[in-house]
Amino acid sequence: MTSLPSSVDVAIIGAGAAGLGAAHALDGSGLSVIVLEARYRLGGRAWTVQPSPEVTFDVGCGWLHSADKNSFVAIAKQLGFELNKDLPPWRERAYGNAFPQSERDDFMRAMDAFYERMWKAAQKGKDEPASLSLEPGNRWNPMIDAISTYINGCELKDMSTLDWDAYEDTNLNWRVRRGYGALVAAYGAPCPVALSCNVTLVDHSGKRIRIETSRGTLDAGKVIVTVPTNLIADEAIRFSPPLPSKVDAAAGLPLGVDDKVTLALEDAEAFPKEGNLRGATMRTEMGTYHIRPFGQPCIEGFFGGSFARALEDSGEGAIAAHSIDEIAGFLGNDIRRKLKPLYESRWARDPFAQGSYSHALPGHAGDRAVLAAPVDGRLFFAGEATSPEFFTTAHGARDSGERAAREVLAALSRL
C-alpha cells in the first residue's frame, strides 16, 4: 500500500477512470502526485469480478461506447487486452417468443419516432423533460421509458432533453474480453495511489490546500476532484470555504441507477451465444437479458431507474431472484433449475458511488460546464459528469481527467 505523503504538488481525489487519466497526464511533468482513493481497489465504477471459474463479469461499465472515439481502445491495444467488436445484442436479435419480431418492429418504429421528436425539441433549445416527447397514448411508452432507465439510469421525466442531445453516440460499441474493469485497473497500475484513503475535507482557505482523509492529513498545491456528483451534492466531501455553485451543479446532475446481475446457466450449449431476451411486457419495471455473453455459461440481467433502486432496497439477492422469475416467465418454469445467482451489483447502496452515472435533470444541461470549471486556479474538477459529450462513460471520465491535468499545468505555467 502506498504510504501517504505529507505534502504534494498535486492531489487527485478518486482512482476511477478520471483520476487515473489525470495521473497519467501528469506523469513526467516533474510534479509530485498522489491519487487518494476511498476504496480498497482501483477503477471506481469500472470493476471486473470472476464469480465462477467460467464467468468474467463487469459489475460496472462493460461496453466501450463510441468505440471509434473511445480513448480506452488505444489503451487496450497498448496493454494487450483483446477487444470484441461483435454487434451488441440490443436491437435486432431476440431469443424465444417473449417479444415476437412483428412486435419488436412496431416498438422500434415507435422508439425511433420518439427520438426524432426529442431531437426536434432539442433543436428549439428547449431544456424540457424528455417525457414531453412521448406520443400521448402510445402503447409502447412504458417500454420506451424502460429503455431510458437502461441508458440514462432514470425515467424520461427526470431527463433533460438538451443533455440527451449533447451526448455523442457513434453507435459503435465494443467490449473487452477480460473485462472493462480489468482494463481500467491495469491502466491505473503504474499510478501512485493511496488506497482505503477516504477524503472528508478539502480546506482551500490557506496558501496550501489541506486535505483531511481517513489515513491522515496532507497538503497540496493543486487538487483535482473526480468523485461522483452525489458525493459532492451530499457534501460527503466538504469544501472550506464552501463551494455552493459546485454543490448545486452536482445536485443538478444526480447519478441514476443501473444494476447488473449474472446467473450461472446449466446446459448452456442449448442456448444461443450473445442472445437478447426481453418481453413485450408493456411496463417500465422490466429487465433486459443478455444470454451467454462471450459464449460464457451465464445470463446477464440489466435493470435501471427507480425499479433498480427498489430492487436494491428489497435486499441482497433481490435482483437475482427477480431475474429468475422474469426469465422463467419468458422461457417456462423448467429454466429455474438451470439458473443460479453468481453476482449482482448494488450501485445506489455503494457508499463511494451512490449510483451508476449522471444525468442532467430538466433545466440543468448547463450544469456539466459549471461543475467542470476550475476554482481559483487551484481546485480542478473531472469525472464523467463533467464531460461535455461523453458523460456516463468511462472514456468520458478518463478524457476529463486528462483535461483537468492540462488545466493544472496551464495554471502552473502562468505563475
Side-chain angles (χ1 to χ4, degrees), residues 285-341:
E285 298 75 30
M286 59 179 274
T288 181
Y289 301 93
H290 187 171
I291 301 170
R292 296 185 65 199
F294 298 117
Q296 301 179 120
C298 64
I299 296 180
E300 272 185 19
F302 199 80
F303 299 85
S306 49
F307 185 46
R309 206 179 284 274
L311 286 172
E312 285 197 35
D313 291 346
S314 301
E316 197 81 42
I319 295 174
H322 178 85
S323 300
I324 292 171
D325 285 346
E326 199 167 22
I327 292 167
F330 297 148
L331 302 181
N333 260 331
D334 284 357
I335 195 147
R336 284 182 188 275
R337 57 183 180 79
K338 297 184 178 182
L339 295 172
K340 188 173 103 245

Side-chain angles (χ1 to χ4, degrees), residues 14-268:
L20 299 175
H24 270 278
L26 292 171
D27 187 37
S29 65
L31 299 170
S32 56
V33 175
I34 187 77
V35 185
L36 308 171
E37 170 53 53
R39 303 176 192 277
Y40 64 88
R41 60 171 180 84
L42 299 178
R45 290 168 275 168
W47 185 25
T48 305
V49 298
Q50 187 139 18
S52 83
E54 305 84 23
V55 175
T56 301
F57 178 54
D58 267 318
V59 186
C61 52
W63 292 92
L64 284 85
H65 295 299
S66 303
D68 50 339
K69 297 198 171 182
N70 187 316
S71 52
F72 272 116
V73 168
I75 292 164
K77 287 176 182 158
Q78 196 185 325
L79 295 176
F81 277 71
E82 178 201 335
L83 293 176
N84 176 295
K85 302 180 183 181
D86 294 347
L87 280 177
W90 305 321
R91 272 183 92 104
E92 280 74 31
R93 284 164 292 164
Y95 177 70
N97 302 317
F99 200 165
Q101 192 61 50
S102 60
E103 294 275 86
R104 281 174 84 90
D105 292 344
D106 194 39
F107 168 64
M108 291 317 303
R109 276 193 293 274
M111 184 92 172
D112 290 339
F114 161 73
Y115 281 140
E116 180 67 21
R117 286 190 297 274
M118 196 155 58
W119 181 80
K120 282 181 174 154
Q123 302 321 297
K124 293 175 185 159
K126 290 183 177 176
D127 197 3
E128 62 186 26
S131 52
L132 293 183
S133 292
L134 289 168
E135 182 185 30
N138 190 300
R139 65 189 281 238
W140 295 109
N141 285 351
M143 273 189 75
I144 293 172
D145 215 7
I147 302 291
S148 171
T149 69
Y150 307 149
I151 296 171
N152 307 307
C154 67
E155 282 74 4
L156 291 165
K157 67 179 174 52
D158 297 322
M159 178 72 204
S160 147
T161 294
L162 287 186
D163 196 53
W164 170 84
D165 187 53
Y167 181 75
E168 191 178 329
D169 186 358
T170 67
N171 289 313
L172 209 55
N173 299 285
W174 296 349
R175 282 174 296 170
V176 186
R177 179 63 191 91
R178 281 157 57 194
Y180 207 157
L183 170 61
V184 175
Y187 173 64
C191 300
V193 182
L195 294 172
S196 303
C197 183
N198 186 18
V199 173
T200 52
L201 174 71
V202 176
D203 180 349
H204 56 112
S205 61
K207 198 165 159 53
R208 302 270 298 166
I209 301 169
R210 192 170 64 85
I211 303 164
E212 287 183 11
T213 84
S214 56
R215 287 180 53 189
T217 301
L218 70 157
D219 68 75
K222 312 276 183 203
V223 173
I224 299 176
V225 180
T226 77
V227 300
T229 52
N230 286 6
L231 301 189
I232 296 175
D234 293 351
E235 299 189 71
I237 293 182
R238 285 191 311 112
F239 294 96
S240 176
L243 298 175
S245 69
K246 294 296 182 190
V247 174
D248 290 350
L253 301 165
L255 263 53
V257 184
D258 276 303
D259 279 313
K260 294 159 86 172
V261 63
T262 184
L263 308 165
L265 177 64
E266 248 181 72
D267 303 330

